[in-house]
Amino acid sequence: MRKLLIGAGVVVTVIIGAAVFLLSSLDSIVKKVIEDVGSQVTGVKVSVGAVKISLSEGKGSIAGLTVANPPGFSSDPAIRLGEIALALDTGSLNKNPIVVKDITVASPFVAYEMASGGSNIDAIQKNVKAFTAKHGGSDAKAEPAKTASKDEEKKLVIERLAITGGQVKLAAGGIPGAEGTAKLGDIVLTNIGKDSGGASSAQVAQKVMDSLVNGALKSATSFGNLLGGVGDKAKALVPGDAAGAVKGLFGK
């Protein structure tokens, strides 16, 4: 009997130890999932500074998230997000879909760079759409986002997603002085994935990217006043359809 009790005690100790390890490692696991899945979906490197998740409180934060530029653009990030605050429905964590009550992204910065083939943001947006189309709107490669069932992927319902206090910087064709900064209008999305039984992370990424691009383009209407006559120089430098995009940005 004493040996059985000792054996049971060892098993319980191992289980508790494993649980503590998983909980203590949760932040690093989430960080890796965001970086891996984000990089797959956007086609460029996604990096995260820090993640803090409290399952007991249903809260979390993500800091220092950056989306790199595609090849052919500057080495600076295309997108930098300020602190991201999360509020989770803890009752849904073991269910599918997981319900996220609120995501608030503070002070994002979008660097909109124009080149001969178009813009960096357009290139990332195309990558996201291509990934979503290829996988039928799912995350076939995003193994950490799946449940114990191989065929069932974790999906999300996001009740509210707000992006506030952002800025957009335009740099056109490397022309000296052909740049300016404008305020990015606040973006609020509601009930993402609710009507379809949940959205994959790729679908969420596409919706957020579409909103960021549309918001950046709206903000860019003020660049004509900011940059004055350099708009014509930028249009002359960028041929074809890209020139038309620059024309629209500069309000010419």
Side-chain angles (χ1 to χ4, degrees):
M1 176 64 73
R2 186 169 180 272
K3 289 183 178 180
L4 288 175
L5 289 175
I6 292 174
V10 171
V11 171
V12 171
T13 301
V14 170
I15 292 174
I16 293 174
V20 170
F21 171 76
L22 287 174
L23 288 176
S24 64
S25 302
L26 182 61
D27 293 349
S28 60
I29 291 171
V30 172
K31 179 178 182 294
K32 179 172 172 52
V33 169
I34 293 172
E35 291 179 336
D36 289 350
V37 176
S39 299
Q40 290 174 23
V41 174
T42 61
V44 296
K45 185 176 181 179
V46 172
S47 301
V48 176
V51 172
K52 293 182 180 179
I53 302 291
S54 173
L55 292 182
S56 61
E57 297 181 1
K59 295 181 180 179
S61 64
I62 302 167
L65 192 152
T66 61
V67 180
N69 259 322
F73 295 92
S74 74
S75 59
D76 296 330
I79 300 171
R80 296 199 309 267
L81 301 182
E83 184 171 355
I84 304 170
L86 309 171
L88 308 171
D89 180 351
T90 55
S92 71
L93 293 178
N94 293 322
K95 300 178 182 179
N96 199 9
I98 294 173
V99 178
V100 182
K101 294 181 178 179
D102 185 83
I103 300 177
T104 300
V105 181
S107 306
F109 185 87
V110 180
Y112 200 104
E113 297 183 18
M114 295 300 304
S116 58
S119 78
N120 58 338
I121 302 301
D122 291 337
I124 295 173
Q125 188 181 29
K126 288 177 182 178
N127 291 342
V128 173
K129 290 182 177 179
F131 182 93
T132 306
K134 182 178 180 180
H135 298 286
S138 69
D139 282 341
K141 294 183 180 179
E143 297 297 336
K146 292 188 177 182
T147 63
S149 172
K150 290 183 178 180
D151 296 325
E152 185 183 14
E153 61 169 333
K154 275 293 186 182
K155 292 191 175 183
L156 301 170
V157 169
I158 302 175
E159 295 182 349
R160 181 179 182 273
L161 189 154
I163 302 173
T164 63
Q167 287 187 317
V168 180
K169 178 182 178 181
L170 174 69
I175 299 174
E179 61 179 40
T181 302
K183 179 181 178 181
L184 175 67
D186 290 351
I187 298 169
V188 178
L189 306 174
T190 59
N191 297 323
I192 299 173
K194 185 174 183 178
D195 295 334
S196 58
S200 69
S201 57
Q203 291 170 323
V204 173
Q206 180 173 337
K207 196 167 187 66
V208 173
M209 279 300 302
D210 287 346
S211 298
L212 277 175
V213 170
N214 291 335
L217 288 173
K218 288 180 181 178
S219 300
T221 57
S222 63
F223 286 136
N225 294 329
L226 287 170
L227 305 179
V230 298
D232 291 328
K233 297 178 182 178
K235 286 184 288 181
L237 180 71
V238 184
D241 294 337
V246 174
K247 178 179 179 180
L249 287 174
F250 286 91
K252 298 290 184 177

